[in-house]
Amino acid sequence: MENPSKSLSRSAIVLRAGLVMAIGVALSYGIPIALSDIGAGAWAKATLGAHGFYEIYIAAGFAGVLIAAMAMQRMGPLRALEALGIANIAPLGCVLALAAMAAAIATLLYARARYQAADGAELLLFGIVGPFVEEVFFRGFLFRQMRKWAGAPFIVAALLSSLLFGAGHFDQGSSLADSLMNAGVTFLGGVLLSWLVERWGSIWPGFIVHAGLNVVWTVFALGDNAVGGSAGNIARLATVVIVLAGTAMLARSERPA
C-alpha cells in the first residue's frame, strides 16, 4: 500500500499527527476527570473493589481507542484490531520476549531478590490488564496511527507517544527527583516498545516485555516505581539487551501502509 508520508503534504502530516496526540491527551487525562465529576469513582470502588475506578478508566480508554481508530480510517472493528497491531501475533517476537523475561527472572533469583506478597487483583490489573491497555493505547494507537495514518517519521512518532507515556507515570515518584527519574525511565521504555512494534508489526512482543516487568516488580521487592534498585535494573538491562539484539537479527522493519 502507498506510504502516507509520500502522498500527504507536510502540513497534512502535522495536522494528522496533532489530531492523534490530541485524542491521546483527551483519553489520558479527560476520562479520569469526567468519571470523577460524575461520581463514578466512589461507585466503581464500592461495586468493583479497590481498583474499580481503574477498571472503568481502562475500559473506557480501550473503547475510545477502538472508536478513534475506526473513525480515522473508516474501518470496521476487525480491521481496527489490525491497525492497532492486535491481530498480528508475531510468534517469533513473543518467544523472544518470553526468553528475555526468563533471563530477567533468572537474574533476580541469582541475586536472591526478596519476594513480597502480591494481591491477586493488583497483580491482574497492573501486571496484565494495565500493560495490555497501555500497549494498545500508546503503541497501537498513538505510535502506529502517527506512522500509518499521519505518515510521521519513526523518531517523531516514537518520541511523541513516549513523552505522553512518560508523563502519565510522573506522579508515581515520592519526590520531584524520583518522579522525573520514573518518567524518564518510562519514556525510554516507551521508545524501546515503539521500536519493537515497528519491527514486529505487532504489540504482543512489547506487551510481554511490559507485562513481564510489571509482574516482576510486583512479585519481587524492587521498589515502588519503575526506577528500581540495582537488582531490578540489572534484570531490566538483561531484558533490554536480549530483545534489542534478538529483534535486530530476527525481525523485519514495518513500513507505514
Side-chain angles (χ1 to χ4, degrees):
M1 296 179 66
E2 187 178 11
N3 187 331
S5 62
K6 295 180 179 180
S7 59
L8 294 174
S9 65
R10 179 170 297 181
S11 60
I13 292 174
V14 171
L15 181 63
R16 286 191 173 193
L19 179 58
V20 174
M21 279 297 292
I23 294 174
V25 171
L27 291 173
S28 296
Y29 302 105
I31 292 177
I33 294 173
L35 290 175
S36 297
D37 286 346
I38 64 175
W43 172 86
K45 289 179 181 179
T47 306
L48 302 172
H51 304 295
F53 184 83
Y54 184 67
E55 292 174 340
I56 293 216
Y57 166 63
I58 60 178
F62 184 74
V65 164
L66 279 174
I67 293 170
M70 291 165 62
M72 284 176 171
Q73 302 192 31
R74 299 178 182 178
M75 59 179 60
L78 292 179
R79 288 194 59 199
L81 295 178
E82 295 178 359
L84 295 172
I86 300 174
N88 178 22
I89 302 300
L92 186 58
C94 292
V95 171
L96 175 65
L98 288 171
M101 293 317 309
I105 294 172
T107 300
L108 292 171
L109 291 175
Y110 179 79
R112 297 184 179 179
R114 182 170 59 87
Y115 295 100
Q116 62 184 6
D119 174 72
E122 181 180 10
L123 188 62
L124 176 64
L125 283 171
F126 298 106
I128 304 297
V129 179
F132 172 71
V133 175
E134 287 183 339
E135 288 310 306
V136 172
F137 178 51
F138 290 104
R139 260 64 67 181
F141 177 69
L142 281 177
F143 173 74
R144 279 176 65 89
Q145 290 304 303
M146 275 197 224
R147 289 286 284 142
K148 291 181 171 292
W149 184 70
F154 167 80
I155 191 64
V156 172
L159 289 179
L160 288 178
S161 60
S162 299
L163 279 172
L164 190 54
F165 184 52
H169 294 76
F170 179 80
D171 62 348
Q172 294 178 3
S174 57
S175 65
L176 177 59
D178 196 36
S179 294
L180 288 171
M181 286 191 293
N182 186 61
V185 169
T186 309
F187 165 77
L188 293 175
V191 175
L192 171 64
L193 294 170
S194 296
W195 183 73
L196 292 179
V197 172
E198 177 83 359
R199 294 301 297 265
W200 292 107
S202 168
I203 67 166
W204 293 109
F207 162 72
I208 292 174
V209 172
H210 188 167
L213 289 175
N214 276 24
V215 169
V216 164
W217 247 250
T218 303
V219 173
F220 293 93
L222 302 176
D224 297 328
N225 56 38
V227 177
S230 57
N233 284 313
I234 292 173
R236 177 163 49 202
L237 179 61
T239 302
V240 170
V241 169
I242 291 173
V243 295
L244 274 176
T247 299
M249 291 187 295
L250 300 173
R252 63 185 180 86
S253 179
E254 286 286 302
R255 302 301 180 193

